[in-house]
Amino acid sequence: MRGGRGMTIGHAAARSGVSAKMIRHYEAIGLIESERRANGYRSYGPQDVAVLRFIRHARDLAFPLEDIRKLLALWRDRSRASGEVKRLALAHVEALEEKAAALNAVAQSLRHLAQHCSGDDRPDCPIIEELEGKTA
Amino acid sequence: MRGGRGMTIGHAAARSGVSAKMIRHYEAIGLIESERRANGYRSYGPQDVAVLRFIRHARDLAFPLEDIRKLLALWRDRSRASGEVKRLALAHVEALEEKAAALNAVAQSLRHLAQHCSGDDRPDCPIIEELEGKTA
DNA sequence: GATCGGGTCTCCCATTATGGGAGGGTCAAG
DNA sequence: CTTGACCCTCCCATAATGGGAGACCCGATC
């Protein structure tokens, strides 16, 4: 399968945009599999590179690897129902938006505190006071 | 110093909102120090609890521990210039906002893809197509 | 005074995703 | 046959937090 004379991990890395280090890691956690040559070197075919690209794109979209595991299964299943894909994606979107909102809320309150911090050589600063718990 | 008969780590945890596990960790990384009783138990005074509260508030504001290390030094320095505090806070704010913006961008593009995914029992779904790299 | 419950001690491990580096094997070109 | 560029497998590190094991300490109850 996947061709007898595939490319080495370095080439697969270059063509997929996934580092060799990560390819080995993905194999270790069972996300992908790798053929081996007689000398022990991993060997990859174009199909494997496509899978790696899929993974990289999913990582670019901040999908956690466990989600990617499911997406790969759905991808491989030509007769998949798109409902599951959509459900997975929307759940992921909500998690992302929640995290972003939390970060923004924190940033905003901190920016507010900073606005009222003189920022000169005087020690007075509401940021420190907030951290002390005088207001919290 | 800090009183001969301080409270145990459990009490300090309860009063500061920092778990005992984390208190030990903060000590291990040199963020705080702990007195010891004859029996080896850690002992804390009100001043220590104040420090722990400070740390917890800073963590609530998503300050990394290394930033907190600097903030603690500034806090302890009564004659500190607030400029350094403000600089640290604003740098942190920018990092937070950047991260939030990145998450939002990803969420938005993924939500966009999901909108055009039928989400029924048909296999067609632009999310999968995107991950395949057909559009990326 | 023996026992029991709850708190504490120190270590080790796990998480998420990624990378660095050591020490050693393989191979092709010169 | 050496050199250089790969590849291999392990171990370690990151940031912050938690879980749990095995051992110890203490106060209270029977």
Side-chain angles (χ1 to χ4, degrees):
Chain A
M1 311 68 186
R2 291 209 286 292
R5 295 167 320 291
M7 67 193 89
T8 62
I9 196 171
H11 290 141
R15 291 189 197 183
S16 66
V18 178
S19 74
K21 208 82 179 178
M22 280 300 101
I23 295 177
R24 293 192 193 98
H25 179 61
Y26 293 158
E27 181 193 336
I29 64 174
L31 202 59
I32 62 171
E33 289 175 18
S34 308
E35 299 271 312
R36 295 294 184 125
R37 290 196 205 157
N39 62 10
Y41 282 22
R42 289 171 180 81
S43 177
Y44 301 95
Q47 193 55 241
D48 298 305
V49 173
V51 170
L52 289 171
R53 282 203 177 121
F54 182 99
I55 294 173
R56 197 179 67 81
H57 290 146
R59 287 293 304 139
D60 287 348
L61 290 174
F63 276 100
L65 290 181
E66 287 315 302
D67 280 21
I68 294 176
R69 196 186 296 274
K70 296 171 199 156
L71 288 172
L72 275 174
L74 292 170
W75 181 37
R76 290 182 177 122
D77 178 10
R78 286 295 176 101
S79 65
R80 69 179 174 266
S82 59
E84 179 64 7
V85 176
K86 188 168 187 172
R87 196 194 57 73
L88 208 55
L90 286 179
H92 180 47
V93 164
E94 286 199 20
L96 290 174
E97 288 178 343
E98 242 176 73
K99 196 174 290 187
L103 288 179
N104 266 326
V106 166
Q108 193 181 354
S109 68
L110 191 53
R111 188 180 276 287
H112 181 74
L113 286 172
Q115 268 175 3
H116 298 286
C117 173
S118 61
D120 52 22
D121 52 2
R122 283 171 296 155
D124 313 284
C125 180
I127 297 168
I128 290 289
E129 287 163 21
E130 167 78 17
L131 295 177
E132 280 175 339
K134 284 182 180 166
T135 58
Chain B
M1 306 70 188
R2 291 207 290 290
R5 296 167 319 292
M7 64 194 90
T8 63
I9 196 172
H11 289 143
R15 292 189 196 182
S16 66
V18 178
S19 75
K21 207 81 178 179
M22 279 303 99
I23 295 177
R24 292 194 193 96
H25 179 61
Y26 294 157
E27 180 192 336
I29 65 174
L31 202 60
I32 62 171
E33 290 174 18
S34 308
E35 299 270 312
R36 296 294 184 127
R37 289 196 207 160
N39 62 8
Y41 282 22
R42 289 171 180 81
S43 177
Y44 301 96
Q47 193 52 242
D48 299 304
V49 173
V51 170
L52 289 171
R53 283 203 176 119
F54 183 98
I55 294 173
R56 195 179 69 81
H57 290 145
R59 286 294 304 140
D60 287 347
L61 290 173
F63 276 100
L65 290 181
E66 287 315 303
D67 281 23
I68 294 176
R69 197 186 294 274
K70 297 169 200 156
L71 288 172
L72 274 175
L74 292 170
W75 182 37
R76 289 181 177 123
D77 178 9
R78 287 296 177 99
S79 65
R80 70 181 174 265
S82 59
E84 180 64 9
V85 176
K86 187 169 188 175
R87 196 196 57 73
L88 208 55
L90 286 179
H92 180 46
V93 164
E94 284 198 22
L96 290 174
E97 287 178 344
E98 244 176 71
K99 196 174 289 185
L103 288 178
N104 267 325
V106 166
Q108 193 182 353
S109 67
L110 191 52
R111 189 180 277 286
H112 182 74
L113 287 173
Q115 267 175 3
H116 298 285
C117 173
S118 60
D120 53 20
D121 50 3
R122 284 172 294 155
D124 314 284
C125 179
I127 297 169
I128 290 289
E129 287 163 21
E130 167 77 17
L131 293 179
E132 277 174 340
K134 283 181 181 166
T135 58

